[in-house]
Amino acid sequence: MTPGTLITLAPTGAESAKADVPALPVTVDEVVATARDCQAIGAAVIHLHVRGEDTRPTLDLGRCREVVQAVREATDLVVQISSGGAVTDPFDQRLAVLDVEPDAASLTLGTVNFGRDVFSNPWDLIVELHTQMQQRGIVPEYEVFDLGQLATLQRLLDKHGAPHGGRVHVDLVMGVPGGMPGTTQALAACLPLLPQGSTFAATGVGRTSLPVMLAALSAGGHLRVGMEDTLTYAPGEPVRDNAQLVARAAGLARIAQRPPLTTAEARAFLGIDNRTTVEAAP
Ligand code: KMH
Ligand code: ZN
């Protein structure tokens, strides 16, 4: 079991509108402020979905570079960009975000219903993301929304080799309407299917946030929290900000006697190169 807990902050996501959730960080300044606050209380990785000036999700490369650079200047967080984007994003743009040279990127292992939408991740896209990340020195986080996607991960590794850095790190994203439920039983069912030597985190969407966090810690797993996944802190109580969610995760990790990993420990754990600046946009 890893001695500490890797806490990933997912501050924004692509699903919620700023108009509906005023506390959602969407501007560069808001993202930087929440990143800084959350690093101070235990986050080591930031999973970034970028928003445009209009507050809507965007994969515009100039804007992505701006946000990545701003977070790097203000924090030591491992910058993991989302290659999942929003359900409407075309594959070529989802691949192109790797051009901003993040430390890491998410990589989803299969297509899943996403509420009334479909989050599309065919095999060829999975392979393209995996091999491009290998070539570019980007560390993937394998996002798994359903049990069968772990079989796809094994097939990917068998056919196309280990990721850059050597660490196979999986995030079980649980409780999405259309994916696996956010329960202890579902999490336990995933464990025997994790590739040998891999590590995992878990994310519980919505009201599954707390039970998934507790189940993950009890099984030696790591945590992803943030307003991408959770907007209600307790019944009837909206999340105040991302720091509130990271503080809860860090507190539970300490109670489990697996305190949050520092950003340096997280880089060593994930096999991430020391790269702290991004090239300016051409
Ligand atoms: N926004 C979801 C459709 C990822 O970041 O890689 C997909 C998602 C996964 O959030
Ligand atoms: Zn995401």
Side-chain angles (χ1 to χ4, degrees), residues 13-15 47 49 82-87 106-108 114 119 143 145 224 228:
E15 275 67 48
H47 168 81
H49 288 259
S82 167
S83 76
V87 286
S106 57
L107 196 177
T108 295
F114 210 89
F119 179 32
E143 300 220 359
F145 289 73
R224 182 181 108 176
E228 171 167 346

Side-chain angles (χ1 to χ4, degrees), residues 91-248:
F91 298 158
D92 57 343
Q93 287 186 29
R94 288 173 52 190
L95 277 158
V97 294
L98 302 181
D99 288 351
V100 309
E101 300 183 6
D103 301 306
S106 57
L107 196 177
T108 295
L109 272 303
T111 297
V112 63
N113 284 342
F114 210 89
R116 300 179 66 191
D117 298 308
V118 176
F119 179 32
S120 191
N121 296 283
W123 172 250
D124 287 352
L125 176 66
I126 292 168
V127 170
E128 191 63 27
L129 282 164
H130 179 78
T131 50
Q132 282 207 24
M133 285 191 221
Q134 284 172 323
Q135 289 157 10
R136 293 163 179 246
I138 296 169
V139 170
E141 179 186 270
Y142 298 104
E143 300 220 359
V144 166
F145 289 73
D146 222 335
L147 190 87
Q149 293 178 9
L150 284 168
T152 301
L153 173 57
Q154 188 65 62
R155 188 154 67 100
L156 180 72
L157 299 172
D158 290 345
K159 283 184 181 286
H160 297 280
H164 178 74
R167 160 79 60 194
V168 176
H169 185 64
V170 175
D171 184 33
L172 303 173
V173 186
M174 313 183 72
V176 169
M180 63 183 152
T183 61
T184 299
Q185 291 88 339
L187 187 139
C190 289
L191 300 180
L193 292 178
L194 289 168
Q196 200 169 15
S198 67
T199 52
F200 80 98
T203 307
V205 171
R207 70 184 63 181
T208 73
S209 176
L210 202 46
V212 164
M213 204 157 27
L214 293 167
L217 284 172
S218 77
H222 300 269
L223 306 176
R224 182 181 108 176
V225 293
M227 295 179 74
E228 171 167 346
D229 307 306
T230 306
L231 295 170
T232 303
Y233 190 76
E237 185 185 336
V239 168
R240 190 182 59 235
D241 54 24
N242 280 289
Q244 187 184 28
L245 295 169
V246 173
R248 179 163 69 176

Side-chain angles (χ1 to χ4, degrees), residues 1-8 44-45 78 139-141 163-170 197-201 220-223 258 260-274:
M1 187 185 293
T2 315
T5 302
L6 180 72
I7 298 181
T8 297
V45 178
V78 171
V139 170
E141 179 186 270
H164 178 74
R167 160 79 60 194
V168 176
H169 185 64
V170 175
S198 67
T199 52
F200 80 98
H222 300 269
L223 306 176
R258 290 180 45 223
L261 294 182
T262 65
T263 53
E265 290 168 338
R267 279 174 202 279
F269 173 71
L270 293 169
I272 286 177
D273 309 329
N274 285 324

